[in-house]
Amino acid sequence: MSSDSLVRPGLTTPFTGSLPEIKLRLRKKVPKLTANDVRRARIPYYEAIASELYEAGYVHAAFLLLHLIEYEDGYVGRTSYAAVESRRLRNDEQLLNYLGDALAAAEGWKTRQQYEREVAELLAIARHFGPDPEKRWLVGQFFRIALDRCADCSPRERVRAQSMVRYYYGKFLIDQRRHLEAMKLLEQADGDLEHACPGVRDGWSTLEEDGEPLSIAINTLLFVSNRSLAEEMANSPTWMVEQYVRDAHMAALKTRKASIIAQSYQAYGEFLCAKGCLEESLEMYRNALQQAELDGELPDLAVSVALAQAKSYHLLGQTVKREAMLARVDRMTKPTENSLSRAHYLLTAATLQQQDAKEDPLKMTALLQSLQQAASVFEQFRQRDKSLEARCLEGLLRAEPLFTEYATLVPAAISTSDEALYRVIDQVGF
């Protein structure tokens, strides 16, 4: 990666390769900014310089950044209390001390031609700064530099190193909601791993203490990125959304995780249901329910899938199967009356069974009570939209039998007086 491809905020002249000249250039530039500008732009300055100096091969690159902070502290006016400024300076010194040590270590591995260790050191720097939202630019730079340095690794190590960097870079991009960029990176990593020797590939894991196999981790993120893209592209042409749904599903199957596979089957089923392919959606829901029950620790997901399956049966006019599925969900959620799963069941059952209940006053009374309970539970969990949905359905069902009487009495009342109209409203009850 050339220094020209790195973003260098605040630097207006090309990199000359001379440490003193860089210091002089920045010393001239900093005093021209206001104090607030310097504080706000400080971190991008130092991050940019760290990237280009390291790339140019300077051993003590990080010390330049320390000089800049010392210069700023001595010559730039204060913008807040002295204690705050002192803390800022200490924090910057910690940042630069870490960068100095880490870059020196990476450069040492490069000098000894142990390139895979150099890449590992660069990746560690990116991961070190990852949790800090103020270091996002710096994190991206080090991910890209690490990916570029994979080129010098041996063929076998290159696949592992590139896939590892792409995995963590993709994870970082997903956190930034840059799902398309993440998906492209992760697809490259997955493709490289597929061509690697299975015996070797299966031994590669992520870097966490309880790391999972690298291939499974990559496909887990591929599922997340493709599913998010499908949601973001919901208003796009159907074929485009289906491509992301299908790719997410293929990635989910590769994870061999029951929870991920169940979610994928459900999402695919919901897409097919919205598309009008009801029989196909039912097949997806059956597979999703099987996976959710196989996991054994996903009761909420199992309930969600079963309710989706009941809706498809309803749309197909298969009342017996719909009722059987609702009865199954009733048994699943009965022990937890005040849970969200129970509330979703009560609302869904009322929505699907309202036509049948209109013919039986006892059923209607029970249905209205169920809607009241569902609304109450949704309110407890601060799900206002669902609570409102339950309340509105309850109100409509209560008012519907009175509409005929209302329509009969209103015209005469309107022609009489406002008081007569109000009496009709009071009499009807809404």
Side-chain angles (χ1 to χ4, degrees):
M1 179 181 292
S2 68
S3 59
D4 291 338
S5 66
L6 295 176
V7 180
R8 296 192 294 278
L11 302 183
T12 56
T13 56
F15 175 57
T16 63
S18 170
L19 193 61
E21 289 184 25
I22 292 175
K23 292 173 67 174
L24 179 62
R25 185 176 77 224
L26 287 167
R27 281 176 181 268
K28 289 180 178 178
K29 186 173 183 62
V30 169
K32 295 180 182 179
L33 302 173
T34 67
N36 283 326
D37 288 335
V38 172
R39 302 298 179 191
R40 185 168 57 251
R42 176 172 53 188
I43 294 301
Y45 263 97
Y46 306 146
E47 292 168 354
I49 302 164
S51 294
E52 65 178 1
L53 287 181
Y54 166 70
E55 191 179 31
Y58 285 96
V59 178
H60 302 295
F63 287 104
L64 167 63
L65 310 187
L66 183 56
H67 293 329
L68 287 173
I69 292 178
E70 290 174 344
Y71 177 84
E72 178 187 328
D73 185 65
Y75 294 97
V76 178
R78 296 290 189 268
T79 59
S80 58
Y81 296 106
V84 175
E85 291 301 324
S86 177
R87 189 185 71 232
R88 286 177 177 173
L89 183 58
R90 287 197 304 273
N91 290 340
D92 284 336
E93 287 190 52
Q94 293 173 3
L95 164 69
L96 299 176
N97 287 336
Y98 169 78
L99 268 180
D101 293 340
L103 292 177
E107 190 172 14
W109 293 122
K110 181 179 180 181
T111 302
R112 294 192 288 275
Q113 297 185 354
Q114 297 191 32
Y115 301 116
E116 64 279 0
R117 293 196 174 187
E118 178 198 359
V119 171
E121 195 71 48
L122 293 167
L123 177 57
I125 296 173
R127 293 180 64 214
H128 176 81
F129 291 122
D132 189 342
E134 294 184 358
K135 303 293 190 299
R136 289 172 184 168
W137 182 89
L138 182 60
V139 172
Q141 292 296 316
F142 275 106
F143 274 129
R144 285 190 282 274
I145 293 172
L147 199 55
D148 185 69
R149 293 301 304 135
C150 291
D152 285 340
C153 295
S154 64
R156 174 178 168 178
E157 287 295 333
R158 186 185 307 135
V159 173
R160 178 184 179 278
Q162 283 182 332
S163 299
M164 192 73 72
V165 174
R166 283 173 176 149
Y167 166 72
Y168 284 103
Y169 193 10
K171 191 174 183 179
F172 169 75
L173 292 172
I174 288 174
D175 290 340
Q176 308 304 311
R177 301 196 61 79
R178 294 158 62 182
H179 297 114
L180 184 59
E181 296 175 66
M183 182 267 289
K184 292 178 179 179
L185 272 176
L186 294 164
E187 279 189 341
Q188 286 180 294
D190 186 48
D192 289 344
L193 287 180
E194 285 184 349
H195 292 93
C197 176
V200 176
R201 176 188 63 203
D202 295 342
W204 294 340
S205 300
T206 57
L207 301 176
E208 288 76 15
E209 187 174 344
D210 56 345
E212 62 180 338
L214 184 57
S215 177
I216 291 178
I218 287 171
N219 277 286
T220 300
L221 291 187
L222 259 178
F223 164 72
V224 172
S225 58
N226 277 295
R227 181 181 62 176
S228 299
L229 284 168
E231 293 171 355
E232 292 172 4
M233 305 288 286
N235 296 324
S236 300
T238 303
W239 67 266
M240 189 179 298
V241 179
E242 186 168 10
Q243 183 64 52
Y244 289 124
V245 172
R246 187 184 298 114
D247 289 347
H249 186 60
M250 295 302 297
L253 294 177
K254 290 182 180 180
T255 66
R256 302 196 295 273
K257 297 177 181 177
S259 59
I260 298 292
I261 296 173
Q263 292 177 54
S264 179
Y265 272 122
Q266 182 182 12
Y268 212 152
E270 290 171 349
F271 171 79
L272 291 172
C273 184
K275 190 180 175 182
C277 304
L278 299 177
E279 292 289 353
E280 292 87 343
S281 72
L282 279 172
E283 184 63 30
M284 292 293 178
Y285 291 144
R286 291 188 192 101
N287 290 330
L289 191 56
Q290 181 182 20
Q291 291 294 327
E293 292 176 338
L294 181 65
D295 185 279
E297 297 182 359
L298 302 170
D300 292 342
L301 181 58
V303 168
S304 177
V305 173
L307 290 176
Q309 199 168 345
K311 292 176 186 177
S312 290
Y313 283 133
H314 179 76
L315 292 172
L316 285 167
Q318 299 179 8
T319 307
V320 175
K321 291 184 177 180
R322 180 200 73 188
E323 291 302 308
M325 187 57 65
L326 288 175
R328 181 177 179 179
V329 179
D330 184 25
R331 292 192 297 272
M332 293 166 66
T333 59
K334 191 72 172 177
T336 53
E337 285 287 340
N338 294 319
S339 66
L340 273 177
S341 292
R342 183 65 177 176
H344 281 292
Y345 158 72
L346 293 173
L347 176 57
T348 303
T351 303
L352 301 182
Q353 295 174 334
Q354 57 179 296
Q355 288 301 125
D356 300 334
K358 290 174 183 178
E359 301 173 2
D360 187 334
L362 293 178
K363 286 185 178 180
M364 179 56 71
T365 300
L367 187 146
L368 294 174
Q369 291 175 349
S370 296
L371 286 171
Q372 290 176 352
Q373 181 183 346
S376 177
V377 173
F378 284 132
E379 287 172 1
Q380 291 176 18
F381 286 92
R382 299 184 181 279
Q383 294 199 4
R384 303 285 175 81
D385 55 336
K386 286 295 180 181
S387 175
L388 183 60
E389 183 181 345
R391 296 290 187 195
C392 287
L393 181 57
E394 179 196 355
L396 289 172
L397 292 175
R398 286 186 184 279
E400 186 175 355
L402 306 174
F403 279 140
T404 303
E405 181 182 359
Y406 181 73
T408 302
L409 296 175
V410 163
I414 291 176
S415 62
T416 304
S417 67
D418 288 344
E419 291 184 5
L421 178 60
Y422 295 147
R423 282 197 298 272
V424 168
I425 294 174
D426 291 338
Q427 177 184 344
V428 175
F430 62 91

